[in-house]
Amino acid sequence: MVFSSAVFLFYFFPCFLLLYYVLPWKNAVLLIGSLVFYAWGEPRFVPLLMLSAFLNYSFGYLIARAGGQRKVLLGLGIGLNLAMLGYYKYLGFFAGILNAVGLREGALPAIVLPLGISFFVFQGISYLIDVYRRDISAQSSFLRFAMYKAMFPQLIAGPIVRYRQIAGEVDQRSLTNERIWMGFRLFVLGMAQKVLIANYVALPADRIFAVDPSRLDAPGAWVGIACYTIQILFDFAGYSNMAIGIGHMLGFSYPPNFNRPYAATSITDFWRRWHISLSSWFRDYLYIPLGGNRASPVRTYFNLALVFFLCGLWHGAAWTFVIWGLWHGALLVLERLGGAALLARLPGVVGQAWTMLCVMVGWVFFRADNVPYALKYLGSMSGAYDGVAALHPWQHDLTRTAACALAIGIVLACWRLRPKAGEKDEAKAVPAIVAPRSGVLVNGISVLATTALALLCIASLAAGTYNPFIYFRF
């Protein structure tokens, strides 16, 4: 079940909200509703989700009360989390590598990947580390902890919500009309990004990437990656905004996950804006413990390469994701070697154009099914092939609606805002609960705009243009 589906919008979510607002046992209602939500798509893995919750709850409890064995318990808890992730997500990948080098023979294990396992495993690891560091107190109630682990708004596609970010709201949270209305507006905005932009630009992107790259000329290849660049942003950011909006409607302040990443003027700036909950997770729980910027330059570069190798592998068990991660790691190393200082001296539009070029090259590997295809596609982008005749298939799909969605998406994604004085690190910020502006006219316009967007999304879904959220192989 996905947020922009008829089952969720018209059946599950209204019934869930009614029970959640009426009944006094909100944690129990949220836990049961989340398990129903997860079971809709993966009923066989509900016990695995609850096993993960029990494992992390138990180790958190033991770590908080242990003496000299705290580090051992932490290592064991993290090891079990990683073993769970490694078995389901990476066993087949590494078995294929062993087959390729002749160290193993036989068929690859057929293992079904549980939905959202990358997210709830990282949640568990961050909880154990924060308890070990005494940044938070271990949760004493298994019901409340299981509710946190299974919360359906962020369970499948993030953002990665750390326990310490919502610890107070797990025990007690307040619901006001202003907060519920703000959450609803954010949900509708995210749904519009997903349904009205991402779904439409996915049509030409899918068609172009289904063509042999040698049959594409440079304009066709650039149109394909431009469509995918907009699609992946508004697909993922839209889903994150819907999750954050639902969180507010339930009384939770989920962390922001995107901050106009295509307005970045460097790759360093891009990773402060893109998938903030993931990049900040790697920063706080891997990069800084490895030494971060405090180590020697060579060790710092190694830390960056390792972090982004693992970041690529986190997105999927395939060499294309590994190369995508190493590509970004190499770009960050180049910026530390002097590239960042050079970009800072250039006009902002030059840095933004360079960053977008690097990001789009990386997206080719992220989207491609295999490395040879990605390399051929890059060749098409450079004009290595004369495939004018192959432009016709994607021209049929690049309808006026898709072209308009692409243009609107580019404007919304690349519009650069001047940062406010004293602006805090977005990765550490929590969305503020801001009361709507007073005035009948302003409130009326807000209601009408939100309603219009919601109706447009529903009309688009009813027209059959919905494309499931399949672009992230978690």
Side-chain angles (χ1 to χ4, degrees), residues 40-330:
W40 190 270
E42 295 283 7
R44 77 182 97 173
F45 292 122
V46 171
L48 178 69
L49 176 62
M50 288 294 95
L51 175 63
S52 174
F54 179 75
L55 182 152
N56 288 286
Y57 168 80
S58 300
F59 273 93
Y61 184 89
L62 294 174
I63 291 171
R65 288 157 178 77
Q69 302 300 316
R70 297 176 72 247
K71 185 173 291 188
V72 175
L73 290 169
L74 173 66
L76 184 58
I78 293 176
L80 289 174
N81 275 288
L82 293 178
M84 183 186 303
L85 182 63
Y87 172 79
Y88 283 103
K89 192 167 184 175
Y90 302 110
L91 183 61
F93 176 66
F94 289 113
I97 295 176
L98 294 177
N99 281 355
V101 299
L103 297 178
R104 178 186 180 276
E105 294 182 0
L108 298 179
I111 300 174
V112 179
L113 181 65
L115 285 173
I117 188 171
S118 298
F119 289 99
F120 64 73
V121 164
F122 269 33
Q123 276 187 325
I125 293 174
S126 67
Y127 172 76
L128 295 181
I129 294 176
D130 287 344
V131 171
Y132 174 80
R133 293 174 176 174
R134 304 192 191 281
D135 292 335
I136 56 173
S137 300
Q139 174 57 251
S140 59
S141 167
F142 177 70
L143 171 64
R144 288 195 288 269
F145 185 79
M147 179 272 294
Y148 155 72
K149 285 285 289 181
M151 281 191 300
F152 74 87
Q154 49 80 58
L155 178 61
I156 303 300
I160 302 173
V161 180
R162 307 182 202 178
Y163 181 81
R164 68 180 181 183
Q165 293 170 324
I166 59 169
E169 295 167 339
V170 167
D171 296 324
Q172 185 176 6
R173 49 196 175 272
S174 61
L175 287 169
T176 62
N177 292 335
E178 290 80 8
R179 181 166 195 167
I180 294 172
W181 170 239
M182 189 194 72
F184 178 73
R185 284 188 299 172
L186 191 55
F187 176 84
V188 171
L189 175 63
M191 184 166 60
Q193 292 173 325
K194 173 75 176 76
V195 173
L196 301 180
I197 297 178
N199 284 0
Y200 280 111
V201 298
L203 301 176
D206 290 346
R207 174 59 69 90
I208 293 172
F209 272 90
V211 174
D212 186 337
S214 63
R215 298 181 59 232
L216 289 173
D217 68 354
W222 278 99
V223 167
I225 195 57
C227 289
Y228 183 69
T229 299
I230 296 302
Q231 174 199 350
I232 196 171
L233 170 62
F234 288 104
D235 214 340
F236 200 7
Y239 210 86
S240 292
N241 284 333
M242 285 189 279
I244 296 169
I246 294 174
H248 280 305
M249 285 188 272
L250 303 182
F252 292 97
S253 299
Y254 293 166
N257 214 20
F258 291 87
N259 181 23
R260 296 182 181 271
Y262 294 163
T265 56
S266 66
I267 296 299
T268 302
D269 188 24
F270 174 81
W271 279 101
R272 294 192 185 108
R273 298 165 174 264
W274 177 272
H275 206 337
I276 299 169
S277 63
L278 177 65
S279 59
S280 62
W281 193 100
F282 274 108
R283 178 197 65 202
D284 295 341
Y285 298 110
L286 184 59
Y287 182 68
I288 292 177
L290 286 173
N293 303 332
R294 303 184 304 276
S296 66
V298 174
R299 180 58 186 268
T300 298
Y301 305 149
F302 172 79
N303 292 344
L304 283 171
L306 176 62
V307 165
F308 277 89
F309 165 76
L310 295 175
C311 180
L313 201 59
W314 181 88
H315 281 84
W319 286 113
T320 50
F321 292 113
V322 171
I323 293 174
W324 173 79
L326 291 175
W327 167 252
H328 279 271

Side-chain angles (χ1 to χ4, degrees), residues 412-432:
L412 293 177
C414 298
W415 190 272
R416 188 165 176 233
L417 298 178
R418 185 183 301 276
K420 298 178 181 178
E423 186 177 25
K424 294 182 179 180
D425 183 1
E426 187 72 13
K428 297 180 180 178
V430 174

